[in-house]
Structure formats: structure tokens, C-alpha cells
Amino acid sequence: MDLVGGGELEGTVALSEIPARARTPEQRSGETPGGDIVWQSSPPGSIYDYVKVASFSIGPDGLIDQWSLRAEQLFGVPARDAVGKDPIEAFVPADLRDRGHRKVAEILDGREWTGVVPFRTDGGRAPDGIAEVYVMPTETEHGDKAAVCIVVDVRALRRIETDLAASQAIFGQSPFGFLLFGTDLKVQRVNRRFAAVFGGEGDEHRGRTVHDYLPRQEAERLQGALRHVLDTGESVTDMQLVGPAPGAKNDRRHWSINLYRVHSGSGRPIGIAGLGTDVTRRHAAAREAAHARRNLALLNEAGARIGNSLDLETTARELLDVTVPVFCDLASVDLYQGLLDGDESAQVDSLADGSAELRRVAFASAVSDAPFAEAGAAPVTVGAVHRYSFNSPCADALRTARPVTISGGDENGLLQSTLAVPMVAHDTVVGLARFSRAKGSEPFGERDRALAVELAARAAVCIDNARLYRREHERALILQRSLLPPGDPEASGLDIACRYLPGNAATEVGGDWFDVIELPGHRTALVVGDVMGRGLRAAVAMGELRTAVRTLALLDLEPAEVLSALDEIARGLGNPGHTAGGQLRPPQSPQSTRRALQGRDIDPSEVYLATCVYAVYDPVTRRCTFANAGHLPPVLVEPGEAAQMLDVPPGMPLGVGGEPFEEVEVELPEGALLALYTDGLVESRDHPLDDGLRAFRNAITPPASDAAETSAETSAETSAEPRSLEDVCDHVLDTLNTHHGEDDIALLMARVQGLPGDAVGDWTLPREPRSVGRAREYARAQLLAWDLEPLVDTTELLVSELVTNALRYGEGEIRLRLLLDRSLVCEVWDAGLVQPRRRRARDTDEGGRGLQLVGLLSAAWGSRRTPRGKTVWFELALPDGESAAEPSVEALLSMF
């Protein structure tokens, strides 16, 4: 039922009776029947929930005639023990009873009284409580004097006073924002701090909601938290909220909110208390610390990841891998085109206006697959060459070598801001790095600017190092390749294929080399060598040794003699004082060599060591003579057989000295395959050398060949249709691709194709004057049989001169041999040891012009030692269908 209360609160208020919490039977002792429920007509949270007011009445006889339930709770005395007793005797200490009786008499006489009275509970003798008593005189229905007593426990009042003081301190003195929400989630009260932050007086905030203080998204978060706290009673601690500061829409503030549910004295939820703290500075400090940690982590990662390779493009990509998306949303790196081309003057000139050509070498993005187009320009793709206009911020950054911040930076307005950072290394601008953040990201600040400069500088140093390395590496490669045979080498009686592969791009140049040298008599020298070590020193040493090998080969020395002389030269490369008086010193032992180096304070690491295989092939006899200086043995594949390594004694490497070199002569069958190689092909840190050699032999063996089970028919078929040497080389490199490491690879392969018998004319002449005419007849007949009539006259003349010299200056019988291949070679052998020497005859001399005539009419001539004498030879080019060129009159007269 609705009652109108006796008091007014902002006008007349309709109050609903609310049943109080039920008590246990013990708590309800002394209650009247039917008093199981106590009805409360005040709203929840009333003062009466905190202040327990008790009442009793005194009859005309001065005795208690009514005793309320609250009196039972306060004094601890049930109604049955209190009614009918003198209150002074029952509850007041003995020393105060006289005064108490007088007061009761005055009250019954019609006087009101208010005072503090100590009292006893449960019949105790000493007072254990203090009550504030308000006594009002009244009359019974018969007109007798009586009294109604209202009693309040003073201790409860003191607690309320303390609580009010604490509440006032919170609302009035707390440095933190405090507000109280009602059960309808509207603000009921705020403290001064909260009002000072959000403006207005405290009462002005009453009735507001969280939407009046926060943006929609944050307000909904807080309202959900308030509802959760009200429903469950679970507190919320350190809830982070973000919103604009009052009166400053662009000033974002951060607050930490703690929420807990507030209960009335009876335990009913009456609202939610919120304690808010402005943590903007703390958040800013945390963000600063986070940024500092991120920057340090970025710099640490940059130091670990940028510059791991000496490649310009790879280094640029490493910079972007570090920065995207941790530091920015998309980035690009442009390098000067002149720098990439090796034209450093173009790079220097570009500093004047910053508009030189640049190449986009790297791009990375976390928001787009393609770069954004700049205002008024087309997108620049990776690999494209472009320019920045003179008035553009990027050109200004290149011109001044200072970073520039660009608002936006793209045509569609999708970028928040862009940093154009020049990449400066050793006071030289090498390019430009652009870092961009898309809309929705935080714009670049000063700290970001400093970090971008540091990252770009680190990458610039690595790029400049890569540039310098690329320049030196390319120069070394040019030097190294210039020392290798140009094109495809050719040789008489041999089909030759070769491969040279430098090591991995990150390594230096090496000292591997191979060579094919034409020797007199259509013979061929095959050389493969490897200077130990890497770098430009090794490449230069390789060039010197290769030149020395060619020089020694043209002297037509035996293979062992070539390696012995080459060993002395190798020892002299690292020790300029190795030769004395222009003569080679006697060979020394390795121990004496080391002692000599130490005695002259020469670092043993400066000694040049190399391995080499030198082989001489004669196509007439199909014999090949090998000498080895510490190199891997040659591999031979005979038709229809499996590959095998030749048993060539491995001597000491070149540059060690002290040991002679041995020669091995091997007769090579027609169609046999000979392979010379360096250790880069078969050696790797991942497997033993024997495994690499076995894999090489398997790769070079023809598929249809089997050393143990190949039939004669299969052998004939295999030899009839052999694989081309180019295919064999490719197959070997493809098969062994996983077996070699970072070393260079040199591979020289030759298939034996001996000169046919009808391409050789060989005669023995007695030592008599008639042999000169007979030699001319033999030569004429052989050339006519070869259909070389244009060469008959010249050949007859030169053969006559050489045979005449053999009769005049030589010894023993004379041997004449004509060889036809890519040119015509004539050889005259005799047992004499005196080498012919070309000289200029005087005008009065009748002879001495024979060798001059040989040199004038032949393409080349020379002499060489043989085991039993010497051989003098000349070579004539084959006619090309036209008449052979005759020597001019001036050339003939020059002999006189």
C-alpha cells in the first residue's frame, strides 16, 4: 500500500513499504506473534539502516511497561525480563541511580530530558555501553503521567560520524576523481577533483551518464563495466579509458578507472563507486619507454640483419625487412644510377641539384602490393630508373643531405606522413630511403626522425661497402677472366670443352686457371692449376704463373722441366730476392725454405703455393705425357669403360721446392675422354674428398658404360655415338652442384681424335747430298696427294733449306715429316744438338740467308730439342681457295 510520509523530501514523495530481512528465531526472541516481518517505509540506504533506534516506555509507576525489539538488540535483554522493572535499577550503575531516580521523577512530572547515560547489558554490574536517551513525557489513556524513551547507541553515532568524515574527505579532499553512480548508472555525486577536471560544480554533474564525458566507444565500454559490477559485485581494477580533455578536443587524455559496488547498511546494492586517475603522463612515459625499447630493438636488429651480404640490392632489402611493418607501413630505397654503374663522377654531380637518375632497388609494404603514386607522377617499380623534380622534397633531401618530413606524400591521400631520408656514407650521399605510414597510423615524430636517420646511415655504410666490394670484385673478375683462354680453345687431334665457374657471389675471386697451348708439330699442352688462397693476390699470382707456363711451354720443354722451372718462379713470387744474378737457385727443401723466410722476416703466409697438372698430347702417336705438382689426378674415360683416375705421381705443390717431378706417358685410345679439374668441383666441407671424386667419376662415365658388364656391342655403340663434350660438361656441373662449396671451379675436358694415318708423311733420309732432292720429291708428291698444289713450290723451297742445314750442321740420319691438320707442318729431325740460329747475312756473303727465307715464307718456324737430337720445323697456312700470297719484292730484298 502507498502511504504519505510525515516528512517531505523535495515535496511529497510516495514511498513503498519494503520488508526488512528476516531474522533467525534467536534474533526474534521476545517478538510479538505475527512480527516475523518488519516493514520499512524508507528507501534503501536510509539512515535508519545505519543508526539502530530503540524505544521503550515507562508507566506512571516508574516501571517499564513496553520494550521494543530494537531495545532487545541494544541492551541484550528480552522483553519478558525488562517489562515491569525499574529502568534505573536494571540498567544504570549503582553510583548514578539516585540521580537517575530524580530524573525519572522529573520526567513523570512532565519534563523532557536528553542526555548520555552509561548502561549495563545482560544484568552486568559495570557499564559496558553508552546510550544517548531522549525522554518525552506522555499520558496514559486514563490521564496518568508516563514517558516514552528513544535510545541510540552512541558508538553507532560515532561510527556514522567517522564514516561521514571519511566520505567528506574523499569527496572534498581526495586528489583523485571520485564519483558515485546510482543503480540507474547515472551520476549521483562527484568530488571536487572530478568537478575541477570536467568543469562546473559538483551538483551540476548529478544525473549525467558516462556518454557526457567520453567518446561513444569508450563510453559504451565503461557503461558495460558499470553494469557488470552492479550485477555481479565483481570489482574492476585499472580500466584504461581514452578521451579528449574538456575544452580541448585534440588533447587526448588517458584515465585509469577502478569500480566497485556500494551497499547500504543492510547489504543492499545502492550504486557503484568509481575512482579515476589521470594517467596521461604515466601513459606518455610508458609510451616513451616502449618507443625507446622498440628503437633499441630496431637498432639491434638492424645491426644484426643489415649488411650480412656484400650485395647492394640485398642490403637495401634487409633495411626494409627491418623497418616494415615495425617502424612504418611501406618503404623504398633508391640508389644513384651512376653509383650502380660505377660512374662515381655522376654521383658527385648529382649533389648539386639532387635531380640525378636513381634506380628503385627495393620496396616493401604491409598495406599494398604496389607503391603508391606520388602527386603528379606514376608509381615507381623496383628496377625502374627515375628522377625527382628539382622542387620536390626528395630532391631537397638529396641536395641538403638532411631528412625531410612530407605530409601525405601520395596522389590518393592514403598516407599519413612520409620521411625522405638521404643515405649518407662517409660524407657521400648514395641514395634515398623513404619511410611512409598510412592513414590511421601515428605520424612520424622527432624520435622517429632520428631513428630513421640512424637506420638509413647504417644501411648506407653497408651499401657503400657493398659498392666498393662490387667494384673491386668486378675488377678482380675482369683481371681473372682476362687471364683465361678466350672463347673455345682448339687443338689438333682433340675435341675440347671447358668450364670456369667463380665461387659464390659473396666470396672473393680465386686462383683457379686452365689453358690450352698449341705446341709445334700439332702437339697440345693442357694445363689446369689452382693457386692456394683467395682474393686479388691469388688472381695476380695465377696470372703470373699462367704467363710463365705459356712461356715455358713455347720453349718446348718436357712437362717435368716445365713444372720444375714453374716451382722456382712460384717461390720467387713471394720472395723477390729468391733469384741471384738472374739465375735460378738450386731447389731447396721446405724446411730450408721456411728457415730462409724466417731469417729475412718474411711472413710464410706471403709464400705463393699452387698446384698444377701439365700434360702434352701428340696427335700423331696419341700419347700424352703428364707431370703433376700436388694436383688432383686426371680422370680418363676409355670407350665402353668406366671413368678411372690416372696414376700420375702427385709431386709437391709449386712454391715448396726440394722435390723433383716425375713424368708419366699414357697412350690414349681413339675416342677416349680426358678430364682435368680443380678441387672446387669435388671438394666440400659437407663430405669427404673421396666422395666427391667418386661422384665426379660417376657423372663423367657414359650411362651405357659399365666397367664390369659392358659387352663389345655396347662398347661399339657407345663409341660410335658419344655425347658431345658440351653436354658432358653441363651434366657434370649439374650433377655435382650440391657437392662443391664456395671455391672456384675449372674443368677442362678433351676427347681424343688422333691424326689419321693419311694425314702424316714420314720419311728417313740418308746423310748424303742426294737427300735434298729426294726430300723435295717426297714433299711434292705428298702435297699433291693432299690436293695442296698452291703450297708445293713454297714447301719444296723451305724443305730444301732445312734438309741442307741438317746435312751441313747436323749429325746422323735425317728424318722428314709432314703433318696435315688445321695447317701444314714440316719437321726435319737430325741427331745434332746445335740449335739453328737466325742471323743477318752481309751483302758480300753468298749464304746465311736460309733461315731468313724460312721465316719470311712460313707462318711460323722454330726448333726444339728431342731425346736424340733436335727438330727444326715450319708451318704454312692452308690455302682458302685463292692463290697463295707471294712475298713482296721489298720483303725479298730485305734479306740482302
Side-chain angles (χ1 to χ4, degrees), residues 127-186:
D128 52 9
I130 301 176
E132 184 171 328
V133 182
Y134 177 45
V135 182
M136 296 172 292
T138 185
E139 292 182 352
T140 66
E141 58 183 359
H142 302 293
D144 298 326
K145 301 292 185 180
V148 176
C149 301
I150 304 299
V151 183
V152 178
D153 190 348
V154 173
R155 292 172 298 183
L157 294 177
R158 296 295 179 266
R159 285 195 301 269
I160 293 174
E161 182 181 14
T162 302
D163 292 344
L164 289 175
S167 176
Q168 185 63 29
I170 292 175
F171 277 89
Q173 304 173 18
S174 174
F176 308 109
F178 193 89
L179 67 165
L180 183 65
F181 294 93
T183 55
D184 56 357
L185 304 186
K186 292 183 178 180

Side-chain angles (χ1 to χ4, degrees), residues 564-589:
S564 296
L566 200 62
D567 176 63
E568 285 290 329
I569 293 174
R571 284 193 285 167
L573 292 178
N575 178 17
H578 185 65
T579 58
Q583 301 294 327
L584 297 177
R585 294 184 178 180
Q588 302 177 3
S589 66

Side-chain angles (χ1 to χ4, degrees), residues 46 91 161 169 222 262 305 320 334 382 480 703 707 782 823 827:
S46 168
F91 302 107
E161 182 181 14
L222 180 56
V262 179
R305 295 180 60 182
L320 303 192
D334 299 325
V382 175
Q480 186 180 39
Q782 187 65 63
S823 62
E827 297 177 332

